Amino acid sequence: EISILLDTMPGETSWDITLVHEDSRVANGDGLGTVVATNPEYSGGNVFFGGYEYKHDLCLKEGLYQFTIYDSTGNGICCVIIRGYYKVQLDGETIVEGGDFGYKETTTFSL
């Protein structure tokens, strides 16, 4: 499951999960692979009323993955008015979490 609390500018945020191919190398979040999940288009949010929280259920097979979150203006989702965050969980256990990043943050994990 992916949980994400977006900041006041949700249209700046996107994410994807890539299945890393066995014959590629993973380096600095730029491994070669196949995108297996991506966010829907986010909208809404308001400077005065805060962000919205979204939850996405995913079914992934065993393998090596990269979760990458992007912010088109480079201010992440945590630190301007709303304290946004993202969290990737497997069976209730947190695999990846954060929110304070620039233009993108990539984390590699395996199932």
Side-chain angles (χ1 to χ4, degrees):
E1 176 184 81
I2 296 176
S3 301
I4 183 166
L5 176 64
L6 296 170
D7 61 11
T8 56
M9 303 302 287
E12 298 174 353
T13 305
S14 62
W15 57 264
D16 58 48
I17 295 179
T18 301
L19 175 61
V20 179
H21 295 158
E22 290 182 18
D23 59 347
S24 67
R25 61 186 174 86
V26 179
N28 299 321
D30 295 324
L32 301 173
T34 303
V35 174
V36 295
T38 187
N39 62 280
E41 183 177 340
Y42 294 125
S43 61
N46 184 296
V47 171
F48 300 105
F49 299 109
Y52 295 101
E53 183 176 31
Y54 295 88
K55 292 185 184 262
H56 307 284
D57 289 323
L58 302 173
C59 183
L60 302 173
K61 64 181 184 177
E62 288 184 3
L64 182 65
Y65 293 90
Q66 289 181 332
F67 173 81
T68 304
I69 187 164
Y70 308 88
D71 186 282
S72 63
T73 59
N75 65 358
I77 58 175
C78 83
C79 307
V80 180
I81 302 174
I82 299 298
R83 204 121 179 106
Y85 65 85
Y86 67 88
K87 186 185 309 185
V88 179
Q89 295 182 305
L90 174 65
D91 297 327
E93 180 182 337
T94 299
I95 298 172
V96 179
E97 64 183 330
D100 186 5
F101 61 95
Y103 286 96
K104 80 175 187 175
E105 182 169 75
T106 299
T107 304
T108 302
F109 65 96
S110 61
L111 301 177

